């Protein structure tokens, strides 16, 4: 599926989680899905816990995260000498 089409599954609502990106207009934050994946939960486990969720929703979370990270720039920290 096209990435832009996947990203249509991610939305923002200032009344839900302070405007954080959410999946499918529901009360499930993208960061929560990413947290479950990073904790080792399988896609199947996540889908079982959220029956309304579709595999494309999880893929959309990953695309969203990649695009956000793709715009970050990490600068080395410089210690000031005392």
């Amino acid at each position: 599926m096209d990435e832009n089409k996947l990203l249509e599954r991610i939305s923002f609502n200032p009344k839900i989680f302070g405007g954080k990106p959410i999946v499918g207009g529901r009360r499930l934050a993208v960061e929560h899905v990413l947290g479950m994946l990073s904790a080792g939960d399988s896609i199947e486990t996540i889908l079982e816990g959220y029956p309304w969720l579709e595999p494309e929703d999880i893929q959309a979370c990953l695309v969203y995260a990649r695009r956000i990270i793709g715009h970050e720039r990490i600068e080395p920290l410089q210690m000031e000498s005392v």
Side-chain angles (χ1 to χ4, degrees), residues 52-68:
W52 55 267
L53 205 62
E54 298 177 352
E56 292 82 8
D57 294 318
I58 296 173
Q59 188 177 2
C61 291
L62 293 170
V63 168
Y64 180 84
R66 183 190 56 79
R67 288 209 178 169
I68 292 295

Side-chain angles (χ1 to χ4, degrees), residues 2 62 69 77 79:
D2 176 78
L62 293 170
I69 291 297
L77 296 176
M79 294 182 59

Side-chain angles (χ1 to χ4, degrees), residues 7-67:
L7 289 174
E8 291 176 5
R9 295 171 171 270
I10 307 296
S11 61
F12 305 85
N13 182 334
K15 295 180 181 179
I16 300 175
F17 301 132
K20 289 184 176 190
I22 55 176
V23 181
R26 305 252 188 148
R27 296 187 70 80
L28 179 62
V30 168
E31 74 177 278
H32 187 68
V33 174
L34 296 172
M36 289 185 285
L37 290 169
S38 69
D41 290 337
S42 68
I43 291 173
E44 293 77 21
T45 299
I46 296 170
L47 294 174
E48 287 173 14
Y50 298 89
W52 55 267
L53 205 62
E54 298 177 352
E56 292 82 8
D57 294 318
I58 296 173
Q59 188 177 2
C61 291
L62 293 170
V63 168
Y64 180 84
R66 183 190 56 79
R67 288 209 178 169

